[in-house]
Amino acid sequence: MEITIKSLEEIKTAAKTFVENMGESRVFAFFGKMGSGKTTFIKAVCETLGVTDVITSPTFAIVNEYTSDISGDTVYHFDFYRIKRLEEVYDMGYEDYFYSGRLCFIEWPELIEELLPEDAVRVYVTENGDGGRTLTF
């Protein structure tokens, strides 16, 4: 599937479309360049899911945990940008998160790609020449 976001004003509509098309998948790996909008889009998706917590990039914490006020479901948001060695990911107990059955949104998954579950949905965020973004998954 492909979702095009022409401007920031369209991000909530794009997030709603994404959520409607997530199916039964639980782990979503977001690939894209620095500044491509991965965090901004994940924030919009979390808000669509009913998260009212402050949603920020977990760059230093590696993982942030949110709760949907609508469903009560837990959502994990990862940012592996600062990971230097896979041992760090093993030490944090990544399996407890990835195989928990809860939603996991992962930034910089290319740094831990060999640890991603086989059924992880790969979401590619591409910057368009007009400043918009295209998500392909």
Side-chain angles (χ1 to χ4, degrees):
M1 171 156 207
E2 188 172 281
I3 300 172
T4 300
I5 307 169
K6 294 181 181 176
S7 67
L8 199 52
E9 289 76 32
E10 296 181 2
I11 198 162
K12 288 184 180 184
T13 301
K16 184 175 185 285
T17 300
F18 183 84
V19 168
E20 290 169 351
N21 288 280
M22 288 182 357
E24 298 299 315
S25 299
R26 306 312 285 165
V27 179
F28 296 85
F30 287 80
F31 294 83
K33 294 180 184 176
M34 176 81 71
S36 64
K38 296 180 297 292
T39 302
T40 302
F41 186 72
I42 291 170
K43 178 181 178 186
V45 169
C46 287
E47 289 171 350
T48 300
L49 292 168
V51 174
T52 57
D53 298 328
V54 175
I55 302 163
T56 59
S57 177
T59 301
F60 294 100
I62 301 176
V63 62
N64 287 344
E65 181 178 326
Y66 309 119
T67 302
S68 167
D69 289 350
I70 295 170
S71 65
D73 291 337
T74 300
V75 178
Y76 296 117
H77 179 192
F78 298 85
D79 184 334
F80 289 114
Y81 182 73
R82 297 199 180 278
I83 292 296
K84 302 283 188 252
R85 298 179 337 271
L86 279 180
E87 288 76 23
E88 294 174 65
V89 184
Y90 286 112
D91 290 346
M92 70 173 282
Y94 81 94
E95 292 168 312
D96 293 338
Y97 296 101
F98 290 3
Y99 298 99
S100 67
R102 302 185 193 277
L103 283 173
C104 295
F105 298 123
I106 304 166
E107 296 186 52
W108 300 103
E110 53 270 46
L111 300 175
I112 59 131
E113 196 156 7
E114 64 195 71
L115 302 179
L116 291 175
E118 286 184 26
D119 62 348
V121 176
R122 285 157 170 78
V123 181
Y124 298 93
V125 182
T126 307
E127 299 177 66
N128 302 330
D130 62 2
R133 305 293 191 266
T134 299
L135 279 80
T136 308
F137 58 101

